[in-house]
Amino acid sequence: MTGMVRANRPGRALLGLSKLLVGAFGTAAFALTTDTIWQIGDALGGLRLTVIMLLGLTALVAWLIVAHDLWEKPDRETSADLARLFNLGTVLTLTLATAVSYVVLLVGTVLAGALLIDTSVLEQTLQRPTSFSDYLTLAWITSSLATVGGAIGSGLENEETVRAAAYGYHPEPGGWRDEKERQPHAGR
């Protein structure tokens, strides 16, 4: 399984889903300007923020799989066991890629929030003294909500782009896609 995920290159998946990242960053930028989000983030505890983050990441992975038909179904060429193995590899690859994209989004949101939101404005909204941890909490809720925007952005991706980003090794009747691309074409 580790070899399959490594062969799928989760880093390539992250870079291949540019519209997903643009959608997530756009949603995060909008959410940062909304003081209601600041108050919601302040009111939620760590457990609820974690659940929201996990739900957002799970929804994003599920959306990528469903919207771009990445779920392998058993057929004559692919046994049920092999289909399960491919599906697990796809889920793990996309989970790693979305987790890394989430961290990138979180760091970017912390930096943007610290740059754009003056401490006095945040203190006035939250009605208490604030610290850097408040900017982290703000980035956490914002990034979690922005992953939903990223999911919508991923719907704009070309299906072949998403497939290529999600996995390099994909079974096809004539053999593995990567193997077919390396073979010289007959008649050329």
Side-chain angles (χ1 to χ4, degrees), residues 57-105:
L57 290 171
T58 302
L60 176 55
V61 170
W63 174 257
L64 285 170
I65 290 170
V66 171
H68 300 287
D69 196 29
L70 299 178
W71 198 253
E72 189 68 38
K73 296 160 196 79
D75 58 18
R76 289 186 320 218
E77 287 94 20
T78 308
S79 69
D81 289 338
L82 193 55
R84 274 193 293 278
L85 189 61
F86 287 137
N87 290 333
L88 182 58
T90 299
V91 168
L92 290 175
T93 299
L94 290 175
T95 298
L96 284 171
T98 56
V100 170
S101 70
Y102 184 88
V103 170
V104 169
L105 179 63

Side-chain angles (χ1 to χ4, degrees), residues 38 42-43 51 98 104 114 116 143-144 147-148 155 170 173:
W38 306 354
D42 187 48
V51 169
T98 56
V104 169
L116 296 173
S143 297
S144 297
T147 50
V148 176
H170 185 75

